[in-house]
């Protein structure tokens, strides 16, 4: 994508700007460092926390960002800090570990921290970042339950910083085209959504299969795409959920780590959703939306791309973009300019998903329909 076409795309997604500069002045770094500038506006200076596989993808994608750059690193592995610091030109004074990262409050070259650590660590880390006066970008799921999520929202509000969640699909062009079609009425009254999210998970010793780190199993990791997708595809908040769990390998999927969950959502208009979340089946990455006047299908729907799809009017032909590049540029606009994305990515959006996840697990354990109150 050319610079001009990306600029047009970003401007199309963003609303009007209200500049909210985030400046800090700390003696440890000398004079206050003003926000870096780009032709599109100030540049968001980001510290990456948790230098694992997905952080590598984010870091590489950010090299093409126009409004976001890596200026800090946080990791528990000294070797990673040294290697990443050299690779991304992050000075030693802007590299931190999990014990001392509260010191970012004294670093005026960092505006926000992107938390890319195991799910169960998000809560405490986000609150510490907020107390240090930095904006929080947190990978999904935002936390392991709604109680923790609410505490994160409250902490960021109290600190006067923004809390955003890494919902990269909210900026993906084919996804947004389906949202546009639904909003414009081209699909008519929405009747049904199907979300299939799953893959066969490998290494049984990885953190995603450790309840203390993951907070659950497939639902937390991959099923949340279907939960979140049902909401932005249907365009309503669900009012009830039912769910059923099945497990074929209890040795690999221990207590509290779900292997496969089927869940159903009901919406105020009468629309329903039927979804599947699993760690034991490949080739499951599909969204299907059915309305009285048409349909839309995305397959793959949530992978790293390219996202492909079709509607009753034909193939979707929006340009493929690197999800994390656009996500970080858009988040810079949200944090620095007050832009409003077409589909929200704030902490309240993440909290709604957590309330649904809580209800799905409750429905599985009780066998009963759970009422939802998200608005």
């Amino acid at each position: 994508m050319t610079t001009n076409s990306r600029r047009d795309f970003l401007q199309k997604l963003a609303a009007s700007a209200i500049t909210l500069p985030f400046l800090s002045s700390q003696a440890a770094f000398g004079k206050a460092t003003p926000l870096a500038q780009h032709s599109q506006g100030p540049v968001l200076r980001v510290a990456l926390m948790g230098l694992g596989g997905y952080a590598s993808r984010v870091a590489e994608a950010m090299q093409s960002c126009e409004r976001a750059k890596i200026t800090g690193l946080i990791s528990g592995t000294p070797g990673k800090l040294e290697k990443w610091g050299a690779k991304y030109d992050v000075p030693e004074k802007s590299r931190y570990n999990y014990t001392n990262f509260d010191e970012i409050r004294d670093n005026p070259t960092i505006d926000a921290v992107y938390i890319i650590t195991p799910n169960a660590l998000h809560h405490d880390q986000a609150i510490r970042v907020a107390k240090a006066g930095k904006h929080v970008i947190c990978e999904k799921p935002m936390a392991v339950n709604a109680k923790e999520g609410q505490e994160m929202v409250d902490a960021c509000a109290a600190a006067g910083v923004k809390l955003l969640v890494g919902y990269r699909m909210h900026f993906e062009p084919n996804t947004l085209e389906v949202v546009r079609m639904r909003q414009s009425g081209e699909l008519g009254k929405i009747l049904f959504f199907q979300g299939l999210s799953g893959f066969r998970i490998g290494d049984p010793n990885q953190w995603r299969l450790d309840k203390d780190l993951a907070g659950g199993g497939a639902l937390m990791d991959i099923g949340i795409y279907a939960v979140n997708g049902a909401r932005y595809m249907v365009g309503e908040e669900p009012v009830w959920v039912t769910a059923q769990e099945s497990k074929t390998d209890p040795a690999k999927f221990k207590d509290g780590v779900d292997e496969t969950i089927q869940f159903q959502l009901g919406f105020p208009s009468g629309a329903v959703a039927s979804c599947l979340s699993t760690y034991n089946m490949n080739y499951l990455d599909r969204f299907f939306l059915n309305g009285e006047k048409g349909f839309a299908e995305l397959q793959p729907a949530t992978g790293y791309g390219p996202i492909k799809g079709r509607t009753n009017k034909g193939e979707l032909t929006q340009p493929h973009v690197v999800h994390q590049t656009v996500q970080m540029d858009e988040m810079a606009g949200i944090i620095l300019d007050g832009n409003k994305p077409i589909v929200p990515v704030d902490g309240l959006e993440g909290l709604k998903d957590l309330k649904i996840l809580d209800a799905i697990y409750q429905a599985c354990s009780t066998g009963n329909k759970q009422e939802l109150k998200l608005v």
Side-chain angles (χ1 to χ4, degrees), residues 115 119-128 130-131 136-159 161-165 347-348 350-351 354:
I115 299 172
N119 308 335
L121 305 180
H122 294 174
H123 169 266
D124 291 352
Q125 291 170 342
I127 290 175
R128 288 172 64 186
K131 287 182 177 178
V136 179
I137 303 171
C138 186
E139 254 313 297
K140 57 85 195 159
M142 189 173 80
V144 297
N145 56 54
K147 178 179 180 295
E148 286 194 355
Q150 184 65 63
E151 290 171 355
M152 292 165 66
V153 169
D154 293 343
C156 289
V161 299
K162 291 189 183 296
L163 170 59
L164 305 181
V165 185
L348 294 178
L351 181 59
L354 292 175

Side-chain angles (χ1 to χ4, degrees), residues 186-248:
E186 292 178 42
L187 302 178
K189 177 180 169 62
I190 299 301
L191 304 173
F192 174 73
F193 171 80
Q194 181 187 52
L196 305 178
S197 302
F199 63 92
R200 273 188 174 273
I201 199 165
D203 180 9
N205 298 313
Q206 65 180 282
W207 70 263
R208 287 178 177 81
L209 297 177
D210 182 341
K211 186 180 186 300
D212 290 338
L213 289 175
L219 184 66
M220 282 281 177
D221 182 36
I222 191 74
I224 190 172
Y225 284 110
V227 170
N228 188 250
R231 295 174 51 232
Y232 64 70
M233 285 291 181
V234 174
E236 299 180 66
E237 300 296 4
V239 292
W240 59 258
V241 61
T242 55
Q244 308 80 37
E245 180 179 3
S246 58
K247 189 174 291 190
T248 64

Side-chain angles (χ1 to χ4, degrees), residues 99-110:
T99 300
N100 68 8
F101 76 80
D102 307 271
E103 295 174 11
I104 60 173
R105 68 168 55 89
D106 300 322
N107 190 333
T109 68
I110 295 173

Side-chain angles (χ1 to χ4, degrees), residues 72-353:
L73 299 168
I74 304 169
S75 173
T77 307
K80 285 186 177 180
L81 288 172
E82 183 176 356
K83 180 179 178 181
W84 284 53
K87 183 174 183 179
Y88 297 111
D89 194 27
V90 176
E92 190 171 351
K93 65 182 180 181
S94 293
R95 307 174 197 168
Y96 303 87
N97 59 46
Y98 294 125
T99 300
N100 68 8
F101 76 80
D102 307 271
E103 295 174 11
I104 60 173
R105 68 168 55 89
D106 300 322
N107 190 333
T109 68
I110 295 173
D111 306 312
V113 176
Y114 192 166
I115 299 172
I116 315 177
T117 56
N119 308 335
L121 305 180
H122 294 174
H123 169 266
D124 291 352
Q125 291 170 342
I127 290 175
R128 288 172 64 186
V129 170
K131 287 182 177 178
K134 306 299 182 179
H135 299 294
V136 179
I137 303 171
C138 186
E139 254 313 297
K140 57 85 195 159
M142 189 173 80
V144 297
N145 56 54
K147 178 179 180 295
E148 286 194 355
Q150 184 65 63
E151 290 171 355
M152 292 165 66
V153 169
D154 293 343
C156 289
V161 299
K162 291 189 183 296
L163 170 59
L164 305 181
V165 185
Y167 289 124
R168 57 189 168 82
M169 305 315 301
H170 293 199
F171 308 108
E172 195 283 316
N174 280 318
T175 301
L176 289 178
E177 175 61 12
V178 175
V179 171
R180 185 201 65 76
M181 292 179 69
R182 187 257 300 158
Q183 289 178 333
S184 69
E186 292 178 42
L187 302 178
K189 177 180 169 62
I190 299 301
L191 304 173
F192 174 73
F193 171 80
Q194 181 187 52
L196 305 178
S197 302
F199 63 92
R200 273 188 174 273
I201 199 165
D203 180 9
N205 298 313
Q206 65 180 282
W207 70 263
R208 287 178 177 81
L209 297 177
D210 182 341
K211 186 180 186 300
D212 290 338
L213 289 175
L219 184 66
M220 282 281 177
D221 182 36
I222 191 74
I224 190 172
Y225 284 110
V227 170
N228 188 250
R231 295 174 51 232
Y232 64 70
M233 285 291 181
V234 174
E236 299 180 66
E237 300 296 4
V239 292
W240 59 258
V241 61
T242 55
Q244 308 80 37
E245 180 179 3
S246 58
K247 189 174 291 190
T248 64
D249 188 350
K252 187 172 186 177
F253 303 99
K254 298 177 174 59
D255 287 347
V257 179
D258 49 285
E259 174 189 325
T260 301
I261 292 179
Q262 298 176 74
F263 60 94
Q264 303 78 41
L265 300 166
F267 298 86
S269 66
V272 292
S274 177
C275 303
L276 175 66
S277 163
T278 184
Y279 267 160
N280 201 31
M281 304 176 208
N282 282 328
Y283 315 116
L284 290 180
D285 185 9
R286 177 178 183 264
F287 285 177
F288 179 79
L289 186 66
N290 180 260
E292 288 184 336
K293 296 181 180 179
F295 74 89
E297 178 185 43
L298 296 173
Q299 186 174 7
T302 62
Y304 295 136
I307 301 302
K308 297 183 178 180
R310 64 192 181 99
T311 74
N312 54 293
K313 295 184 177 182
E315 298 293 318
L316 291 170
T317 58
Q318 299 299 313
H320 171 59
V321 296
V322 177
H323 298 174
Q324 295 81 4
T325 302
V326 178
Q327 173 195 322
M328 295 308 295
D329 272 338
E330 285 294 308
M331 286 186 166
I334 294 169
I335 290 173
L336 299 175
D337 303 335
N339 290 348
K340 303 294 183 184
I342 294 170
V343 183
V345 292
D346 57 31
L348 294 178
E349 176 80 357
L351 181 59
K352 289 176 181 179
D353 283 343

